[in-house]
Amino acid sequence: MSGRLRAVLALLIVGGAALFVYALGEPPTPKPLPPPSNGVNVVAAAGPEAKPGVLDSAENCKRCHAEIYAEWESNYHSQAWTDELFKGLSNDYRETSCHTCHAPRPLHETGFATAEARRTDRSSGINCLTCHKKGNHVVGSIRDPEGTAEYPADCGPVYDPDHADHGAQQTTIQYCGVCHNLHGTHEEFLGSAYAREGKTCLSCHMPEVQRPLVPGGRVRRTSSHRLPGAHSLEMLKRAMRIDVRKQGGRLRVRVVNQGAGHKIPTDARHRAIHVRVSFVDAYGAPVPVPSPLDTEGAPDKTVSMDLVRLFYRWQQIEPTQVDPLGTLGKPNERESSIEIPAGARGGKAIVRLYYLLVWNWHPETRGQLVDEKVVELDG
Ligand code: HEC
Ligand code: HEC
Ligand code: HEC
Ligand code: HEC
Ligand code: HEC
């Protein structure tokens, strides 16, 4: 069974409560974004238009842009509609308010304030047309210093008035903010050091690739369409680590947000980060401890000492997410501590950081191990 399918089954088992929260408890009203500063309201397009039919379906893009198409097929945008989890939680698609971001119309046509639902070809989710179609041409950002792009009659010519604005940060992050601000990812980013340095969502999620856009085309600076996120171990390692120290008979552990451009975790409330700890004595035998998070639970060989997440409203718990670097007045780390048991003197503490796609999964069996630190304890 694939990891994704397993994730789906688990969430379906988590079941009713989650459905209530997502579908009913919290109407998906995205926070309004500032109006785009450029690009969107320009209507006139210059040059000839695409061959009839090319812009009817995202599948037509595959013929010439096979590599980008394959990248998109492998990412989560292409599955935004067919995702079993989405199907289940949207009450078998009956909850129409969910359609807007999961099967949207072209953003260059509807504008960047909120996404609008489309009625056709929904199974392709967030597709090429969502981000690139505008009337009878495509909008892109070939960063061509000489401005001498040769445009094909088939998909373009893509020259249009928006083109010149595309390097602008406002426009590129606007693409993402339309849908990724339901729980404030966009705003978390804007408050971080990364935004001040001039980075965008693309700096980390759509890094530059040197390649031709079409077979035999000129090699250009293009953007990867793989869009890795929380399903990628490489990204998780880049985002977070743990620092561990001993102080006054306690073990202090910091979860550090070292490289995500927003909180960890961001957006989805079913995601979570667990800090797990275990102690062994001088002979390597486990020393069970009670979990500081579950004071009624019996001591165990491995326990959670911190849980980092955005909680559902019905849980009525303040979020414990860790802010990104450079957020005003907020550290990009979060500390928790646990008493070192007497029996572990001369032994070791083993601390592990796990990322969970679904918060109440068992960390050791279903979480992704992201970092581990072993600390020697004095005798
Ligand atoms: C404002 C745009 C927007 C609306 C409206 C919206 N979603 Fe989403 N949804 C998103 C974004 C963005 C993500 C990705 C979040 C992430 O990965 O952190 C997402 C992710 C999800 C996921 C998680 C998929 C996974 O693999 O973890 C599910 C399930 C989901 N949405 C269901 C719904 C349901 C059900 C509704 C209607 C009640 C809905 N969404 C309405 C934007 C939206
Ligand atoms: C018949 C081949 C062909 C088809 C079909 C095609 N394209 Fe293109 N596309 C090209 C070529 C050639 C270029 C320019 C490449 C260059 O100059 O390096 C291009 C460029 C682009 C650009 C960059 C534009 C810019 O100004 O930055 C985008 C975006 C784009 N295509 C999107 C699409 C989408 C979306 C589809 C499907 C609806 C599509 N293309 C279908 C051949 C095609
Ligand atoms: C039209 C709405 C929409 C737009 C625009 C959009 N996204 Fe998404 N994005 C989603 C939804 C919905 C999902 C979750 C799909 C699923 O798994 O069902 C998602 C998933 C993702 C994921 C995968 C998350 C994970 O957990 O692995 C990343 C990364 C991401 N988006 C980044 C971006 C970036 C960067 C941009 C801007 C270039 C962007 N998105 C634009 C709606 C959107
Ligand atoms: C400085 C690099 C960086 C920037 C900038 C950045 N991200 Fe991320 N993002 C990451 C890393 C690393 C992860 C993996 C850690 C994680 O999932 O929390 C991630 C994860 C995600 C996820 C998966 C969410 C989840 O629930 O954990 C989404 C969705 C996402 N990013 C969207 C965005 C959007 C939208 C923007 C722009 C507003 C953006 N990112 C800007 C580095 C970045
Ligand atoms: C979630 C939005 C999104 C989707 C879906 C998407 N793209 Fe893109 N695409 C972008 C962004 C953002 C850029 C870079 C633009 C910028 O830097 O302003 C880009 C750039 C491009 C370019 C120009 C060269 C480059 O890489 O900078 C081409 C060609 C392209 N995309 C084709 C496609 C095709 C074909 C599909 C479908 C298989 C697709 N895109 C799906 C957002 C998207």
Side-chain angles (χ1 to χ4, degrees), residues 145-164:
E146 302 98 52
T148 52
E150 294 128 31
Y151 298 115
D154 257 53
C155 96
V158 276
Y159 181 76
D160 74 283
D162 287 349
H163 189 84

PDB file of all heavy atoms in Angstrom, residues 145-164:
ATOM      1  N   PRO A 145      17.088  37.618 -20.763  1.00  0.00           N
ATOM      2  CA  PRO A 145      17.681  38.946 -20.633  1.00  0.00           C
ATOM      3  C   PRO A 145      17.623  39.758 -21.922  1.00  0.00           C
ATOM      4  O   PRO A 145      17.430  40.958 -21.888  1.00  0.00           O
ATOM      5  CB  PRO A 145      19.131  38.677 -20.206  1.00  0.00           C
ATOM      6  CG  PRO A 145      19.322  37.211 -20.197  1.00  0.00           C
ATOM      7  CD  PRO A 145      18.008  36.548 -20.413  1.00  0.00           C
ATOM      8  N   GLU A 146      17.776  39.079 -23.059  1.00  0.00           N
ATOM      9  CA  GLU A 146      17.757  39.840 -24.321  1.00  0.00           C
ATOM     10  C   GLU A 146      16.329  40.086 -24.794  1.00  0.00           C
ATOM     11  O   GLU A 146      16.109  40.832 -25.721  1.00  0.00           O
ATOM     12  CB  GLU A 146      18.503  39.100 -25.437  1.00  0.00           C
ATOM     13  CG  GLU A 146      19.955  38.797 -25.119  1.00  0.00           C
ATOM     14  CD  GLU A 146      20.120  37.373 -24.625  1.00  0.00           C
ATOM     15  OE1 GLU A 146      19.650  36.448 -25.308  1.00  0.00           O
ATOM     16  OE2 GLU A 146      20.688  37.183 -23.536  1.00  0.00           O
ATOM     17  N   GLY A 147      15.393  39.406 -24.164  1.00  0.00           N
ATOM     18  CA  GLY A 147      14.005  39.582 -24.578  1.00  0.00           C
ATOM     19  C   GLY A 147      13.769  39.097 -25.988  1.00  0.00           C
ATOM     20  O   GLY A 147      12.969  39.648 -26.727  1.00  0.00           O
ATOM     21  N   THR A 148      14.479  38.040 -26.372  1.00  0.00           N
ATOM     22  CA  THR A 148      14.360  37.586 -27.755  1.00  0.00           C
ATOM     23  C   THR A 148      13.704  36.213 -27.847  1.00  0.00           C
ATOM     24  O   THR A 148      14.024  35.421 -28.720  1.00  0.00           O
ATOM     25  CB  THR A 148      15.744  37.498 -28.425  1.00  0.00           C
ATOM     26  OG1 THR A 148      16.587  36.712 -27.563  1.00  0.00           O
ATOM     27  CG2 THR A 148      16.356  38.865 -28.625  1.00  0.00           C
ATOM     28  N   ALA A 149      12.802  35.907 -26.928  1.00  0.00           N
ATOM     29  CA  ALA A 149      12.157  34.600 -26.956  1.00  0.00           C
ATOM     30  C   ALA A 149      11.451  34.385 -28.294  1.00  0.00           C
ATOM     31  O   ALA A 149      10.819  35.285 -28.816  1.00  0.00           O
ATOM     32  CB  ALA A 149      11.153  34.512 -25.819  1.00  0.00           C
ATOM     33  N   GLU A 150      11.615  33.175 -28.825  1.00  0.00           N
ATOM     34  CA  GLU A 150      10.902  32.872 -30.071  1.00  0.00           C
ATOM     35  C   GLU A 150       9.626  32.134 -29.676  1.00  0.00           C
ATOM     36  O   GLU A 150       9.673  31.050 -29.128  1.00  0.00           O
ATOM     37  CB  GLU A 150      11.755  31.979 -30.976  1.00  0.00           C
ATOM     38  CG  GLU A 150      13.004  32.682 -31.469  1.00  0.00           C
ATOM     39  CD  GLU A 150      14.252  31.856 -31.202  1.00  0.00           C
ATOM     40  OE1 GLU A 150      14.175  30.617 -31.198  1.00  0.00           O
ATOM     41  OE2 GLU A 150      15.300  32.482 -30.982  1.00  0.00           O
ATOM     42  N   TYR A 151       8.519  32.739 -29.941  1.00  0.00           N
ATOM     43  CA  TYR A 151       7.275  32.155 -29.479  1.00  0.00           C
ATOM     44  C   TYR A 151       6.636  31.311 -30.564  1.00  0.00           C
ATOM     45  O   TYR A 151       6.592  31.694 -31.722  1.00  0.00           O
ATOM     46  CB  TYR A 151       6.322  33.259 -29.032  1.00  0.00           C
ATOM     47  CG  TYR A 151       6.888  34.028 -27.876  1.00  0.00           C
ATOM     48  CD1 TYR A 151       7.221  35.361 -28.003  1.00  0.00           C
ATOM     49  CD2 TYR A 151       7.109  33.383 -26.672  1.00  0.00           C
ATOM     50  CE1 TYR A 151       7.749  36.061 -26.935  1.00  0.00           C
ATOM     51  CE2 TYR A 151       7.645  34.071 -25.608  1.00  0.00           C
ATOM     52  CZ  TYR A 151       7.967  35.409 -25.734  1.00  0.00           C
ATOM     53  OH  TYR A 151       8.493  36.078 -24.689  1.00  0.00           O
ATOM     54  N   PRO A 152       6.103  30.168 -30.186  1.00  0.00           N
ATOM     55  CA  PRO A 152       5.512  29.265 -31.160  1.00  0.00           C
ATOM     56  C   PRO A 152       4.059  29.651 -31.429  1.00  0.00           C
ATOM     57  O   PRO A 152       3.395  30.205 -30.556  1.00  0.00           O
ATOM     58  CB  PRO A 152       5.554  27.937 -30.426  1.00  0.00           C
ATOM     59  CG  PRO A 152       5.368  28.332 -28.992  1.00  0.00           C
ATOM     60  CD  PRO A 152       6.021  29.668 -28.823  1.00  0.00           C
ATOM     61  N   ALA A 153       3.617  29.352 -32.606  1.00  0.00           N
ATOM     62  CA  ALA A 153       2.242  29.679 -32.932  1.00  0.00           C
ATOM     63  C   ALA A 153       1.269  28.806 -32.151  1.00  0.00           C
ATOM     64  O   ALA A 153       0.127  29.177 -31.938  1.00  0.00           O
ATOM     65  CB  ALA A 153       2.012  29.501 -34.426  1.00  0.00           C
ATOM     66  N   ASP A 154       1.742  27.638 -31.695  1.00  0.00           N
ATOM     67  CA  ASP A 154       0.838  26.685 -31.056  1.00  0.00           C
ATOM     68  C   ASP A 154       0.358  27.098 -29.677  1.00  0.00           C
ATOM     69  O   ASP A 154      -0.817  27.031 -29.367  1.00  0.00           O
ATOM     70  CB  ASP A 154       1.519  25.331 -30.923  1.00  0.00           C
ATOM     71  CG  ASP A 154       1.014  24.376 -31.966  1.00  0.00           C
ATOM     72  OD1 ASP A 154       1.069  24.780 -33.130  1.00  0.00           O
ATOM     73  OD2 ASP A 154       0.565  23.277 -31.618  1.00  0.00           O
ATOM     74  N   CYS A 155       1.282  27.450 -28.814  1.00  0.00           N
ATOM     75  CA  CYS A 155       0.853  27.726 -27.448  1.00  0.00           C
ATOM     76  C   CYS A 155       0.850  29.202 -27.180  1.00  0.00           C
ATOM     77  O   CYS A 155       0.314  29.683 -26.207  1.00  0.00           O
ATOM     78  CB  CYS A 155       1.710  27.006 -26.418  1.00  0.00           C
ATOM     79  SG  CYS A 155       3.036  27.962 -25.716  1.00  0.00           S
ATOM     80  N   GLY A 156       1.399  29.958 -28.054  1.00  0.00           N
ATOM     81  CA  GLY A 156       1.487  31.391 -27.845  1.00  0.00           C
ATOM     82  C   GLY A 156       1.055  32.064 -29.108  1.00  0.00           C
ATOM     83  O   GLY A 156       0.157  31.552 -29.737  1.00  0.00           O
ATOM     84  N   PRO A 157       1.632  33.143 -29.557  1.00  0.00           N
ATOM     85  CA  PRO A 157       2.762  33.668 -28.849  1.00  0.00           C
ATOM     86  C   PRO A 157       2.310  34.163 -27.495  1.00  0.00           C
ATOM     87  O   PRO A 157       1.213  34.673 -27.362  1.00  0.00           O
ATOM     88  CB  PRO A 157       3.259  34.803 -29.711  1.00  0.00           C
ATOM     89  CG  PRO A 157       2.058  35.214 -30.465  1.00  0.00           C
ATOM     90  CD  PRO A 157       1.184  34.021 -30.589  1.00  0.00           C
ATOM     91  N   VAL A 158       3.180  33.930 -26.590  1.00  0.00           N
ATOM     92  CA  VAL A 158       2.818  34.120 -25.223  1.00  0.00           C
ATOM     93  C   VAL A 158       3.060  35.540 -24.778  1.00  0.00           C
ATOM     94  O   VAL A 158       2.787  35.873 -23.648  1.00  0.00           O
ATOM     95  CB  VAL A 158       3.582  33.112 -24.374  1.00  0.00           C
ATOM     96  CG1 VAL A 158       2.850  31.793 -24.373  1.00  0.00           C
ATOM     97  CG2 VAL A 158       4.979  32.933 -24.916  1.00  0.00           C
ATOM     98  N   TYR A 159       3.561  36.341 -25.700  1.00  0.00           N
ATOM     99  CA  TYR A 159       3.803  37.715 -25.291  1.00  0.00           C
ATOM    100  C   TYR A 159       2.481  38.384 -24.946  1.00  0.00           C
ATOM    101  O   TYR A 159       1.506  38.299 -25.660  1.00  0.00           O
ATOM    102  CB  TYR A 159       4.495  38.539 -26.384  1.00  0.00           C
ATOM    103  CG  TYR A 159       4.729  39.925 -25.879  1.00  0.00           C
ATOM    104  CD1 TYR A 159       5.747  40.166 -24.973  1.00  0.00           C
ATOM    105  CD2 TYR A 159       3.866  40.962 -26.205  1.00  0.00           C
ATOM    106  CE1 TYR A 159       5.918  41.415 -24.421  1.00  0.00           C
ATOM    107  CE2 TYR A 159       4.033  42.210 -25.661  1.00  0.00           C
ATOM    108  CZ  TYR A 159       5.061  42.432 -24.766  1.00  0.00           C
ATOM    109  OH  TYR A 159       5.209  43.666 -24.211  1.00  0.00           O
ATOM    110  N   ASP A 160       2.445  39.014 -23.826  1.00  0.00           N
ATOM    111  CA  ASP A 160       1.244  39.734 -23.426  1.00  0.00           C
ATOM    112  C   ASP A 160       1.664  40.774 -22.415  1.00  0.00           C
ATOM    113  O   ASP A 160       2.770  40.740 -21.892  1.00  0.00           O
ATOM    114  CB  ASP A 160       0.230  38.775 -22.802  1.00  0.00           C
ATOM    115  CG  ASP A 160       0.658  38.364 -21.430  1.00  0.00           C
ATOM    116  OD1 ASP A 160       1.560  37.518 -21.336  1.00  0.00           O
ATOM    117  OD2 ASP A 160       0.138  38.911 -20.469  1.00  0.00           O
ATOM    118  N   PRO A 161       0.794  41.709 -22.107  1.00  0.00           N
ATOM    119  CA  PRO A 161       1.218  42.815 -21.255  1.00  0.00           C
ATOM    120  C   PRO A 161       1.636  42.364 -19.853  1.00  0.00           C
ATOM    121  O   PRO A 161       2.405  43.044 -19.200  1.00  0.00           O
ATOM    122  CB  PRO A 161      -0.020  43.701 -21.183  1.00  0.00           C
ATOM    123  CG  PRO A 161      -0.854  43.316 -22.340  1.00  0.00           C
ATOM    124  CD  PRO A 161      -0.580  41.882 -22.576  1.00  0.00           C
ATOM    125  N   ASP A 162       1.122  41.252 -19.381  1.00  0.00           N
ATOM    126  CA  ASP A 162       1.512  40.798 -18.051  1.00  0.00           C
ATOM    127  C   ASP A 162       2.982  40.407 -17.990  1.00  0.00           C
ATOM    128  O   ASP A 162       3.603  40.453 -16.948  1.00  0.00           O
ATOM    129  CB  ASP A 162       0.728  39.533 -17.666  1.00  0.00           C
ATOM    130  CG  ASP A 162      -0.702  39.857 -17.361  1.00  0.00           C
ATOM    131  OD1 ASP A 162      -1.003  41.052 -17.245  1.00  0.00           O
ATOM    132  OD2 ASP A 162      -1.489  38.914 -17.242  1.00  0.00           O
ATOM    133  N   HIS A 163       3.457  39.984 -19.116  1.00  0.00           N
ATOM    134  CA  HIS A 163       4.770  39.373 -19.182  1.00  0.00           C
ATOM    135  C   HIS A 163       5.833  40.161 -18.432  1.00  0.00           C
ATOM    136  O   HIS A 163       6.590  39.618 -17.636  1.00  0.00           O
ATOM    137  CB  HIS A 163       5.167  39.225 -20.642  1.00  0.00           C
ATOM    138  CG  HIS A 163       6.388  38.417 -20.840  1.00  0.00           C
ATOM    139  ND1 HIS A 163       6.372  37.064 -20.901  1.00  0.00           N
ATOM    140  CD2 HIS A 163       7.680  38.787 -20.949  1.00  0.00           C
ATOM    141  CE1 HIS A 163       7.599  36.616 -21.071  1.00  0.00           C
ATOM    142  NE2 HIS A 163       8.411  37.644 -21.087  1.00  0.00           N
ATOM    143  N   ALA A 164       5.886  41.439 -18.671  1.00  0.00           N
ATOM    144  CA  ALA A 164       6.942  42.274 -18.106  1.00  0.00           C
ATOM    145  C   ALA A 164       6.901  42.280 -16.585  1.00  0.00           C
ATOM    146  O   ALA A 164       7.912  42.517 -15.933  1.00  0.00           O
ATOM    147  CB  ALA A 164       6.790  43.689 -18.639  1.00  0.00           C
TER     148      ALA A 164
END
